[in-house]
Amino acid sequence: MTAEVELSRPALPAHQAELVRGILPILVCSVLWGCVGLVSTYIPAAASPESVGACGMIVAGVSMLIARPGARVMILRARGRDRVLQVIGSLGLLAYPLAFFPAVHRLGVALATAITLGSAPLFTGLISRFVEKRQLTRRWLQCAPIAVAGTVLMVTGDAGAHAVSVVGVIFALIPGLSYSIASSVAARLIGQGNASGDVYGAMFGTCAVWCVPVLVLSDGVHGLIGVRGAAVVLFYGCVTNYLCYTLFGSALRYTTAATATTVTLAEGAVGTLLGVFAHDERLAPAAWAGLGLLAAALVLLSLPGRRLHQGVRRSG
């Protein structure tokens, strides 16, 4: 059962509301999302990463459509721009697992997670500023360069210790972009007055349709039949998609998409630390410094910030 945030509750100061109802729930999601890279290392050898991602998306999409009647209504009644937004958002959700799991295979849990999550805030900020023509907070403009610098340092520092796959880096950047697109689309649809659970239910439900041909082309559920395969799929579908995106969607009512994706830098830290301590991966000292910069960006973002007052003209 999902719980919607009641807007009629006693009003909190703006920053306190953003912290308690926006940033903290996203941090909870980030911790769970940070476990995806490690869990993906337990995918049975006979199963393809693409089939795991597709199955997880189907589980999440079907679950959300069952639990959220409003999501079904959104899909059926969508017209024009709303239909386009739902399709774009669903494709963004689809691209994430299809690119992230191969990135983990080529780069390892720690580096792949750090690149994906370190790049997402920058992509979201660019979408917010140049596509949606929205004002960015001064705090975001302070934190984003730190986050990017930390990500670059992790990549270059780790490259100095051992060879880094260029293809793996590209694969790791794709989910950063796709995640940003999906988050921006969801924020816009929620901003139109739609319930957050319905928005993500519609996007995941549509994504489940795209996953069917992906599942067929990736040898179906071969290799996933068994306790280990089923456990990975259920964790990815029910926990990191259904549960986390329900919380994340509610949190988007209290913070911007740009801020939300910057907060999810915590996922990169969790994934990196799990890769190091639970999967015996190694990071160079420079890569550890980059991780420290990512953590600093997250701490700075939790402090009160002000919006820039430079005028931004909206088209139309």
Side-chain angles (χ1 to χ4, degrees), residues 37-306:
L38 180 62
V39 172
S40 70
T41 63
Y42 294 97
I43 295 174
S48 68
E50 293 79 11
S51 65
V52 174
C55 284
M57 284 294 185
I58 291 174
V59 169
V62 172
S63 299
M64 289 185 180
L65 288 178
I66 292 174
R68 306 291 310 196
R72 302 195 295 271
V73 173
M74 281 191 66
I75 294 175
L76 294 175
R77 294 184 179 178
R79 297 290 185 275
R81 179 175 295 181
D82 286 348
R83 171 70 72 185
V84 173
L85 286 174
Q86 285 183 22
V87 171
I88 292 175
S90 67
L91 291 175
L93 293 174
L94 174 65
Y96 191 104
L98 296 185
F100 182 70
F101 290 144
V104 171
H105 177 71
R106 288 172 171 80
L107 299 176
V109 176
L111 192 55
T113 303
I115 293 174
T116 294
L117 273 299
S119 64
L122 178 60
F123 285 133
T124 306
L126 294 176
I127 291 172
S128 180
R129 177 65 180 85
F130 296 106
V131 177
E132 300 179 344
K133 307 299 182 183
R134 297 183 61 179
Q135 296 178 348
L136 298 173
T137 63
R138 187 179 303 276
R139 185 66 64 191
W140 183 90
L141 291 173
Q142 292 171 341
C143 294
I146 298 174
V148 173
T151 303
V152 171
L153 194 56
M154 288 198 69
V155 175
T156 56
D158 216 42
H162 54 79
V164 172
S165 168
V166 175
V167 175
V169 172
I170 294 174
F171 270 122
L173 289 172
I174 291 174
L177 175 60
S178 65
Y179 171 79
S180 302
I181 291 173
S183 297
S184 298
V185 168
R188 173 173 289 194
L189 291 173
I190 291 170
Q192 293 175 358
N194 297 298
S196 57
D198 293 344
V199 169
Y200 273 105
M203 287 169 52
F204 270 97
T206 305
C207 180
V209 176
W210 311 138
C211 287
V212 174
V214 173
L215 190 59
V216 172
L217 294 174
S218 59
D219 298 328
V221 296
H222 176 68
L224 293 176
I225 300 176
V227 176
R228 186 172 171 181
V232 173
V233 169
L234 289 176
F235 177 83
Y236 182 62
C238 296
V239 178
T240 62
N241 282 335
Y242 181 85
L243 174 62
C244 287
Y245 276 102
T246 297
L247 290 175
F248 187 80
S250 297
L252 284 178
R253 291 187 178 276
Y254 298 96
T255 190
T256 65
T259 298
T261 51
T262 306
V263 172
T264 55
L265 288 171
E267 177 185 345
V270 172
T272 299
L273 292 174
L274 284 175
V276 171
F277 293 109
H279 207 247
D280 201 29
E281 296 178 0
R282 294 289 181 265
L283 292 180
W288 279 108
L291 180 61
L293 287 178
L294 292 180
L298 181 61
V299 171
L300 287 174
L301 191 70
S302 68
L303 301 175
R306 296 175 298 172

